[in-house]
Amino acid sequence: MSKIVGAYPPTLVGDSWDPPDGATWWRFRLQPNEDGHVYVQEVDAEQTWMSWEFFDGESTVIDCGLDRPAALVRLGGFDHGNHGHLDILHAGPPTPSPQWRPLTGPGELRHPEDRNCGCLCGKCLCGGHCHEIGRCYTRA
């Protein structure tokens, strides 16, 4: 079971975050464990950080905001009875599991399912919500 750790409550990516060189969007299809759980989420008692564990047969910790963030995470695909998927912008597969599949090429920072937010930079990480948050979230 690998673990994603980050600040709680989760925050938007700020323009000070610089994705690792060669970052690629990777997808992992979530699968339930023997108890039927797809993931396990925990928030610390002080409510300053959270962890999100998923069942990939590995034991990797992915930092999404506690120290120096190494990844950007998105969840999706929980409709129509699916168990969902986990997408991570990361340099190389996020864990050693062979189940990770690349969604983009190295350095392509926009998620393939994002609508065009209107930014001309081509590197916006806002998920198509620049107009809602009032600024473009790009690589420096």
Side-chain angles (χ1 to χ4, degrees), residues 24-54:
T24 300
W25 279 103
W26 295 86
R27 177 165 286 174
F28 181 85
R29 297 247 177 242
L30 297 169
Q31 296 297 318
N33 67 359
E34 58 277 356
D35 297 327
H37 297 104
V38 178
Y39 62 87
V40 176
Q41 182 176 320
E42 177 185 2
V43 177
D44 73 316
E46 292 81 31
Q47 296 190 345
T48 57
W49 64 267
M50 66 179 289
S51 69
W52 193 86
E53 296 177 293
F54 59 100

mmCIF file of all heavy atoms in Angstrom, residues 24-54:
data_model
loop_
_atom_site.group_PDB
_atom_site.id
_atom_site.type_symbol
_atom_site.label_atom_id
_atom_site.label_comp_id
_atom_site.label_asym_id
_atom_site.label_seq_id
_atom_site.Cartn_x
_atom_site.Cartn_y
_atom_site.Cartn_z
ATOM 1 N N THR A 24 5.505 13.799 -15.989
ATOM 2 C CA THR A 24 4.530 13.177 -16.871
ATOM 3 C C THR A 24 3.284 12.866 -16.050
ATOM 4 O O THR A 24 3.387 12.531 -14.877
ATOM 5 C CB THR A 24 5.105 11.846 -17.429
ATOM 6 O OG1 THR A 24 6.290 12.129 -18.154
ATOM 7 C CG2 THR A 24 4.112 11.131 -18.319
ATOM 8 N N TRP A 25 2.098 12.984 -16.653
ATOM 9 C CA TRP A 25 0.881 12.524 -15.976
ATOM 10 C C TRP A 25 0.813 11.015 -16.095
ATOM 11 O O TRP A 25 0.905 10.459 -17.192
ATOM 12 C CB TRP A 25 -0.364 13.159 -16.602
ATOM 13 C CG TRP A 25 -0.621 14.541 -16.116
ATOM 14 C CD1 TRP A 25 -0.365 15.704 -16.771
ATOM 15 C CD2 TRP A 25 -1.201 14.900 -14.858
ATOM 16 N NE1 TRP A 25 -0.733 16.769 -15.989
ATOM 17 C CE2 TRP A 25 -1.256 16.306 -14.810
ATOM 18 C CE3 TRP A 25 -1.669 14.169 -13.758
ATOM 19 C CZ2 TRP A 25 -1.762 17.000 -13.710
ATOM 20 C CZ3 TRP A 25 -2.171 14.851 -12.668
ATOM 21 C CH2 TRP A 25 -2.218 16.254 -12.653
ATOM 22 N N TRP A 26 0.660 10.329 -14.942
ATOM 23 C CA TRP A 26 0.562 8.880 -14.863
ATOM 24 C C TRP A 26 -0.797 8.498 -14.301
ATOM 25 O O TRP A 26 -1.318 9.174 -13.430
ATOM 26 C CB TRP A 26 1.643 8.321 -13.949
ATOM 27 C CG TRP A 26 3.017 8.537 -14.461
ATOM 28 C CD1 TRP A 26 3.803 9.645 -14.274
ATOM 29 C CD2 TRP A 26 3.774 7.641 -15.256
ATOM 30 N NE1 TRP A 26 5.004 9.480 -14.913
ATOM 31 C CE2 TRP A 26 5.016 8.257 -15.523
ATOM 32 C CE3 TRP A 26 3.531 6.369 -15.769
ATOM 33 C CZ2 TRP A 26 6.000 7.636 -16.275
ATOM 34 C CZ3 TRP A 26 4.518 5.759 -16.516
ATOM 35 C CH2 TRP A 26 5.728 6.379 -16.773
ATOM 36 N N ARG A 27 -1.361 7.389 -14.764
ATOM 37 C CA ARG A 27 -2.666 6.911 -14.273
ATOM 38 C C ARG A 27 -2.538 5.510 -13.678
ATOM 39 O O ARG A 27 -1.887 4.632 -14.230
ATOM 40 C CB ARG A 27 -3.696 6.883 -15.391
ATOM 41 C CG ARG A 27 -5.044 6.306 -14.906
ATOM 42 C CD ARG A 27 -6.154 6.605 -15.863
ATOM 43 N NE ARG A 27 -6.489 8.022 -15.724
ATOM 44 C CZ ARG A 27 -7.359 8.655 -16.502
ATOM 45 N NH1 ARG A 27 -7.994 8.011 -17.472
ATOM 46 N NH2 ARG A 27 -7.610 9.935 -16.318
ATOM 47 N N PHE A 28 -3.205 5.344 -12.521
ATOM 48 C CA PHE A 28 -3.293 4.055 -11.840
ATOM 49 C C PHE A 28 -4.764 3.751 -11.629
ATOM 50 O O PHE A 28 -5.482 4.542 -11.020
ATOM 51 C CB PHE A 28 -2.566 4.136 -10.487
ATOM 52 C CG PHE A 28 -2.567 2.848 -9.713
ATOM 53 C CD1 PHE A 28 -1.601 1.887 -9.956
ATOM 54 C CD2 PHE A 28 -3.532 2.603 -8.758
ATOM 55 C CE1 PHE A 28 -1.595 0.700 -9.248
ATOM 56 C CE2 PHE A 28 -3.536 1.420 -8.046
ATOM 57 C CZ PHE A 28 -2.562 0.462 -8.294
ATOM 58 N N ARG A 29 -5.243 2.647 -12.151
ATOM 59 C CA ARG A 29 -6.639 2.231 -11.949
ATOM 60 C C ARG A 29 -6.764 1.644 -10.550
ATOM 61 O O ARG A 29 -6.102 0.670 -10.217
ATOM 62 C CB ARG A 29 -7.057 1.207 -12.986
ATOM 63 C CG ARG A 29 -7.025 1.765 -14.386
ATOM 64 C CD ARG A 29 -8.412 1.855 -14.954
ATOM 65 N NE ARG A 29 -8.356 2.470 -16.266
ATOM 66 C CZ ARG A 29 -8.955 3.605 -16.566
ATOM 67 N NH1 ARG A 29 -9.660 4.233 -15.672
ATOM 68 N NH2 ARG A 29 -8.869 4.108 -17.780
ATOM 69 N N LEU A 30 -7.587 2.269 -9.726
ATOM 70 C CA LEU A 30 -7.751 1.831 -8.347
ATOM 71 C C LEU A 30 -8.485 0.502 -8.294
ATOM 72 O O LEU A 30 -9.450 0.280 -9.027
ATOM 73 C CB LEU A 30 -8.515 2.886 -7.550
ATOM 74 C CG LEU A 30 -7.796 4.232 -7.426
ATOM 75 C CD1 LEU A 30 -8.728 5.281 -6.853
ATOM 76 C CD2 LEU A 30 -6.552 4.096 -6.573
ATOM 77 N N GLN A 31 -8.010 -0.365 -7.418
ATOM 78 C CA GLN A 31 -8.607 -1.680 -7.232
ATOM 79 C C GLN A 31 -8.908 -1.869 -5.752
ATOM 80 O O GLN A 31 -8.117 -1.475 -4.909
ATOM 81 C CB GLN A 31 -7.646 -2.776 -7.700
ATOM 82 C CG GLN A 31 -7.336 -2.722 -9.177
ATOM 83 C CD GLN A 31 -8.587 -2.949 -10.019
ATOM 84 O OE1 GLN A 31 -9.409 -3.807 -9.715
ATOM 85 N NE2 GLN A 31 -8.738 -2.179 -11.076
ATOM 86 N N PRO A 32 -10.024 -2.502 -5.432
ATOM 87 C CA PRO A 32 -10.336 -2.723 -4.015
ATOM 88 C C PRO A 32 -9.431 -3.791 -3.406
ATOM 89 O O PRO A 32 -8.954 -4.690 -4.101
ATOM 90 C CB PRO A 32 -11.796 -3.186 -4.041
ATOM 91 C CG PRO A 32 -12.005 -3.732 -5.410
ATOM 92 C CD PRO A 32 -11.072 -2.992 -6.323
ATOM 93 N N ASN A 33 -9.221 -3.661 -2.093
ATOM 94 C CA ASN A 33 -8.486 -4.697 -1.376
ATOM 95 C C ASN A 33 -9.457 -5.821 -1.020
ATOM 96 O O ASN A 33 -10.623 -5.808 -1.427
ATOM 97 C CB ASN A 33 -7.785 -4.132 -0.139
ATOM 98 C CG ASN A 33 -8.752 -3.670 0.938
ATOM 99 O OD1 ASN A 33 -9.971 -3.729 0.802
ATOM 100 N ND2 ASN A 33 -8.196 -3.185 2.038
ATOM 101 N N GLU A 34 -8.994 -6.784 -0.222
ATOM 102 C CA GLU A 34 -9.833 -7.932 0.128
ATOM 103 C C GLU A 34 -11.065 -7.537 0.941
ATOM 104 O O GLU A 34 -12.056 -8.273 0.972
ATOM 105 C CB GLU A 34 -9.018 -8.999 0.872
ATOM 106 C CG GLU A 34 -8.360 -8.524 2.150
ATOM 107 C CD GLU A 34 -7.024 -7.809 1.947
ATOM 108 O OE1 GLU A 34 -6.537 -7.725 0.806
ATOM 109 O OE2 GLU A 34 -6.486 -7.315 2.950
ATOM 110 N N ASP A 35 -11.041 -6.360 1.588
ATOM 111 C CA ASP A 35 -12.199 -5.863 2.348
ATOM 112 C C ASP A 35 -13.134 -5.003 1.504
ATOM 113 O O ASP A 35 -14.135 -4.508 2.002
ATOM 114 C CB ASP A 35 -11.744 -5.051 3.561
ATOM 115 C CG ASP A 35 -10.962 -5.886 4.557
ATOM 116 O OD1 ASP A 35 -11.264 -7.089 4.687
ATOM 117 O OD2 ASP A 35 -10.049 -5.330 5.193
ATOM 118 N N GLY A 36 -12.778 -4.784 0.245
ATOM 119 C CA GLY A 36 -13.604 -3.980 -0.633
ATOM 120 C C GLY A 36 -13.290 -2.493 -0.621
ATOM 121 O O GLY A 36 -13.946 -1.715 -1.299
ATOM 122 N N HIS A 37 -12.259 -2.076 0.137
ATOM 123 C CA HIS A 37 -11.881 -0.664 0.176
ATOM 124 C C HIS A 37 -11.006 -0.323 -1.024
ATOM 125 O O HIS A 37 -10.123 -1.097 -1.399
ATOM 126 C CB HIS A 37 -11.125 -0.337 1.465
ATOM 127 C CG HIS A 37 -11.958 -0.538 2.685
ATOM 128 N ND1 HIS A 37 -11.808 -1.624 3.506
ATOM 129 C CD2 HIS A 37 -12.958 0.199 3.207
ATOM 130 C CE1 HIS A 37 -12.673 -1.544 4.496
ATOM 131 N NE2 HIS A 37 -13.396 -0.449 4.331
ATOM 132 N N VAL A 38 -11.223 0.846 -1.602
ATOM 133 C CA VAL A 38 -10.433 1.290 -2.740
ATOM 134 C C VAL A 38 -9.248 2.128 -2.266
ATOM 135 O O VAL A 38 -8.184 2.115 -2.863
ATOM 136 C CB VAL A 38 -11.306 2.084 -3.736
ATOM 137 C CG1 VAL A 38 -10.497 2.596 -4.899
ATOM 138 C CG2 VAL A 38 -12.441 1.207 -4.240
ATOM 139 N N TYR A 39 -9.421 2.863 -1.182
ATOM 140 C CA TYR A 39 -8.336 3.626 -0.577
ATOM 141 C C TYR A 39 -8.672 3.867 0.892
ATOM 142 O O TYR A 39 -9.791 3.644 1.335
ATOM 143 C CB TYR A 39 -8.086 4.954 -1.299
ATOM 144 C CG TYR A 39 -9.253 5.913 -1.287
ATOM 145 C CD1 TYR A 39 -9.434 6.806 -0.232
ATOM 146 C CD2 TYR A 39 -10.168 5.941 -2.333
ATOM 147 C CE1 TYR A 39 -10.506 7.678 -0.213
ATOM 148 C CE2 TYR A 39 -11.229 6.817 -2.325
ATOM 149 C CZ TYR A 39 -11.394 7.688 -1.272
ATOM 150 O OH TYR A 39 -12.448 8.549 -1.250
ATOM 151 N N VAL A 40 -7.676 4.322 1.640
ATOM 152 C CA VAL A 40 -7.839 4.648 3.052
ATOM 153 C C VAL A 40 -7.333 6.066 3.245
ATOM 154 O O VAL A 40 -6.198 6.375 2.868
ATOM 155 C CB VAL A 40 -7.041 3.678 3.954
ATOM 156 C CG1 VAL A 40 -7.153 4.087 5.414
ATOM 157 C CG2 VAL A 40 -7.500 2.251 3.741
ATOM 158 N N GLN A 41 -8.166 6.930 3.801
ATOM 159 C CA GLN A 41 -7.797 8.329 4.022
ATOM 160 C C GLN A 41 -7.720 8.593 5.519
ATOM 161 O O GLN A 41 -8.551 8.117 6.290
ATOM 162 C CB GLN A 41 -8.842 9.248 3.398
ATOM 163 C CG GLN A 41 -8.527 10.714 3.538
ATOM 164 C CD GLN A 41 -9.540 11.565 2.816
ATOM 165 O OE1 GLN A 41 -9.983 11.226 1.731
ATOM 166 N NE2 GLN A 41 -9.905 12.669 3.428
ATOM 167 N N GLU A 42 -6.704 9.348 5.927
ATOM 168 C CA GLU A 42 -6.524 9.689 7.335
ATOM 169 C C GLU A 42 -6.147 11.157 7.452
ATOM 170 O O GLU A 42 -5.357 11.666 6.655
ATOM 171 C CB GLU A 42 -5.406 8.838 7.939
ATOM 172 C CG GLU A 42 -5.092 9.156 9.377
ATOM 173 C CD GLU A 42 -3.899 8.382 9.903
ATOM 174 O OE1 GLU A 42 -3.287 7.614 9.145
ATOM 175 O OE2 GLU A 42 -3.577 8.565 11.082
ATOM 176 N N VAL A 43 -6.727 11.842 8.440
ATOM 177 C CA VAL A 43 -6.377 13.225 8.752
ATOM 178 C C VAL A 43 -5.835 13.224 10.173
ATOM 179 O O VAL A 43 -6.415 12.606 11.066
ATOM 180 C CB VAL A 43 -7.607 14.154 8.631
ATOM 181 C CG1 VAL A 43 -7.242 15.578 9.026
ATOM 182 C CG2 VAL A 43 -8.171 14.107 7.220
ATOM 183 N N ASP A 44 -4.706 13.922 10.405
ATOM 184 C CA ASP A 44 -4.128 13.939 11.744
ATOM 185 C C ASP A 44 -5.035 14.687 12.726
ATOM 186 O O ASP A 44 -5.927 15.423 12.327
ATOM 187 C CB ASP A 44 -2.727 14.557 11.728
ATOM 188 C CG ASP A 44 -2.757 16.055 11.540
ATOM 189 O OD1 ASP A 44 -3.512 16.539 10.681
ATOM 190 O OD2 ASP A 44 -2.020 16.747 12.264
ATOM 191 N N ALA A 45 -4.805 14.484 14.020
ATOM 192 C CA ALA A 45 -5.663 15.063 15.066
ATOM 193 C C ALA A 45 -5.692 16.583 15.024
ATOM 194 O O ALA A 45 -6.721 17.200 15.314
ATOM 195 C CB ALA A 45 -5.194 14.587 16.442
ATOM 196 N N GLU A 46 -4.591 17.212 14.649
ATOM 197 C CA GLU A 46 -4.539 18.684 14.579
ATOM 198 C C GLU A 46 -5.116 19.219 13.269
ATOM 199 O O GLU A 46 -5.203 20.413 13.069
ATOM 200 C CB GLU A 46 -3.091 19.172 14.740
ATOM 201 C CG GLU A 46 -2.516 18.948 16.122
ATOM 202 C CD GLU A 46 -2.016 17.504 16.301
ATOM 203 O OE1 GLU A 46 -1.581 16.884 15.310
ATOM 204 O OE2 GLU A 46 -2.091 16.997 17.429
ATOM 205 N N GLN A 47 -5.460 18.328 12.375
ATOM 206 C CA GLN A 47 -6.011 18.664 11.055
ATOM 207 C C GLN A 47 -5.089 19.597 10.270
ATOM 208 O O GLN A 47 -5.496 20.620 9.747
ATOM 209 C CB GLN A 47 -7.412 19.247 11.174
ATOM 210 C CG GLN A 47 -8.391 18.240 11.729
ATOM 211 C CD GLN A 47 -9.830 18.688 11.631
ATOM 212 O OE1 GLN A 47 -10.130 19.854 11.405
ATOM 213 N NE2 GLN A 47 -10.725 17.752 11.799
ATOM 214 N N THR A 48 -3.818 19.194 10.180
ATOM 215 C CA THR A 48 -2.841 19.957 9.406
ATOM 216 C C THR A 48 -2.305 19.170 8.218
ATOM 217 O O THR A 48 -1.770 19.750 7.292
ATOM 218 C CB THR A 48 -1.652 20.382 10.288
ATOM 219 O OG1 THR A 48 -1.059 19.218 10.861
ATOM 220 C CG2 THR A 48 -2.111 21.341 11.385
ATOM 221 N N TRP A 49 -2.415 17.847 8.248
ATOM 222 C CA TRP A 49 -1.974 17.020 7.129
ATOM 223 C C TRP A 49 -2.921 15.829 6.969
ATOM 224 O O TRP A 49 -3.671 15.486 7.874
ATOM 225 C CB TRP A 49 -0.534 16.538 7.307
ATOM 226 C CG TRP A 49 -0.317 15.626 8.478
ATOM 227 C CD1 TRP A 49 0.067 15.991 9.736
ATOM 228 C CD2 TRP A 49 -0.484 14.200 8.522
ATOM 229 N NE1 TRP A 49 0.147 14.893 10.552
ATOM 230 C CE2 TRP A 49 -0.186 13.774 9.832
ATOM 231 C CE3 TRP A 49 -0.867 13.245 7.576
ATOM 232 C CZ2 TRP A 49 -0.250 12.437 10.225
ATOM 233 C CZ3 TRP A 49 -0.936 11.914 7.972
ATOM 234 C CH2 TRP A 49 -0.620 11.514 9.266
ATOM 235 N N MET A 50 -2.847 15.236 5.800
ATOM 236 C CA MET A 50 -3.656 14.046 5.535
ATOM 237 C C MET A 50 -2.816 13.034 4.767
ATOM 238 O O MET A 50 -1.820 13.394 4.133
ATOM 239 C CB MET A 50 -4.913 14.401 4.749
ATOM 240 C CG MET A 50 -4.661 14.907 3.347
ATOM 241 S SD MET A 50 -6.165 15.307 2.427
ATOM 242 C CE MET A 50 -6.809 13.690 2.131
ATOM 243 N N SER A 51 -3.234 11.784 4.843
ATOM 244 C CA SER A 51 -2.607 10.750 4.024
ATOM 245 C C SER A 51 -3.713 10.000 3.295
ATOM 246 O O SER A 51 -4.846 9.926 3.755
ATOM 247 C CB SER A 51 -1.772 9.791 4.870
ATOM 248 O OG SER A 51 -2.595 9.007 5.692
ATOM 249 N N TRP A 52 -3.349 9.477 2.161
ATOM 250 C CA TRP A 52 -4.290 8.773 1.308
ATOM 251 C C TRP A 52 -3.555 7.539 0.808
ATOM 252 O O TRP A 52 -2.614 7.641 0.025
ATOM 253 C CB TRP A 52 -4.687 9.705 0.169
ATOM 254 C CG TRP A 52 -5.851 9.298 -0.632
ATOM 255 C CD1 TRP A 52 -7.158 9.561 -0.364
ATOM 256 C CD2 TRP A 52 -5.839 8.569 -1.851
ATOM 257 N NE1 TRP A 52 -7.943 9.030 -1.343
ATOM 258 C CE2 TRP A 52 -7.163 8.419 -2.267
ATOM 259 C CE3 TRP A 52 -4.828 8.022 -2.629
ATOM 260 C CZ2 TRP A 52 -7.499 7.744 -3.424
ATOM 261 C CZ3 TRP A 52 -5.164 7.349 -3.783
ATOM 262 C CH2 TRP A 52 -6.494 7.226 -4.167
ATOM 263 N N GLU A 53 -3.926 6.366 1.311
ATOM 264 C CA GLU A 53 -3.250 5.128 0.950
ATOM 265 C C GLU A 53 -4.047 4.372 -0.112
ATOM 266 O O GLU A 53 -5.271 4.289 -0.019
ATOM 267 C CB GLU A 53 -3.062 4.252 2.183
ATOM 268 C CG GLU A 53 -2.141 4.897 3.211
ATOM 269 C CD GLU A 53 -2.010 4.079 4.465
ATOM 270 O OE1 GLU A 53 -3.015 3.951 5.188
ATOM 271 O OE2 GLU A 53 -0.909 3.552 4.704
ATOM 272 N N PHE A 54 -3.349 3.834 -1.090
ATOM 273 C CA PHE A 54 -4.000 3.067 -2.146
ATOM 274 C C PHE A 54 -3.254 1.754 -2.323
ATOM 275 O O PHE A 54 -2.098 1.612 -1.958
ATOM 276 C CB PHE A 54 -4.080 3.872 -3.453
ATOM 277 C CG PHE A 54 -2.747 4.297 -3.999
ATOM 278 C CD1 PHE A 54 -2.166 3.595 -5.034
ATOM 279 C CD2 PHE A 54 -2.093 5.411 -3.494
ATOM 280 C CE1 PHE A 54 -0.940 3.983 -5.557
ATOM 281 C CE2 PHE A 54 -0.871 5.810 -4.005
ATOM 282 C CZ PHE A 54 -0.296 5.101 -5.036
#
